[in-house]
Amino acid sequence: MTTEAKPSTRERLLEAAATLTYRDGVGIGVEALCKAAGVSKRSLYQLFESKDELLAASLEERASTFVAGLLPAADDGRSARERILHVFEQVELQAGAPEFRGCRYLAVQIELKDQSHPASRVAHRIKGNLTVFFRSEAEQGGASDPDLLARQLSLVFDGASARAGIQADNLAGLVAPTVAALLDAADMR
């Protein structure tokens, strides 16, 4: 007989923070976080210096899942163009889920506004890594201006995520042609 280990207090707090802040925003209170995690405030503050540190740790914990859900595997044999398009295909797929609220990292940056907030710093770094991926692929694909293309792709990514997240638009048939036009304009192979 196998028994699954019960998630630790830390894991329950990280999960509650991820779930509640994605659904309700970063203004969620400590009471609600503790209630959702089934822990006391004392436990939260024994594990994390502050709610801000909990939010940052929660974002950090989700980063590998975020990246794995978007980026193609390294050296997957596809062209740089196909690898960039893959990211936007993934966004389109994710945006079709009823619980999709957009990019959690973008939402945190918009809500917090304070670039020095621990969660904002994590979100900024994760989003910056996506732009670095776009730039690297743009360079590999021979883009005429890899820096500009990477910034343009990040803009489309954030705009598409935000519009789908607030259910202002359906991304199907919209994002891929937009990205393809940018890639064509940049002479991407």
Side-chain angles (χ1 to χ4, degrees), residues 6 9 24 30 33 38 53 56 60 71 74-75 84 112 135 154 164 169 173 182-183:
K6 183 180 176 189
T9 301
D24 302 328
V30 169
L33 287 168
E53 293 297 330
E60 191 72 60
L71 302 186
D75 303 324
I84 289 171
L112 289 174
R135 193 207 179 289
S154 291
D169 225 328
L182 281 173
L183 298 176

Side-chain angles (χ1 to χ4, degrees), residues 17-39:
T19 301
L20 294 180
T21 58
Y22 187 63
R23 188 186 72 204
D24 302 328
V26 296
I28 194 80
V30 169
E31 295 270 344
L33 287 168
C34 290
K35 183 177 179 184
V39 303

Side-chain angles (χ1 to χ4, degrees), residues 126-139:
I126 302 302
K127 295 295 292 179
N129 289 344
L130 181 60
T131 303
V132 167
F133 168 82
F134 288 145
R135 193 207 179 289
S136 174
E137 295 300 323
E139 194 169 35

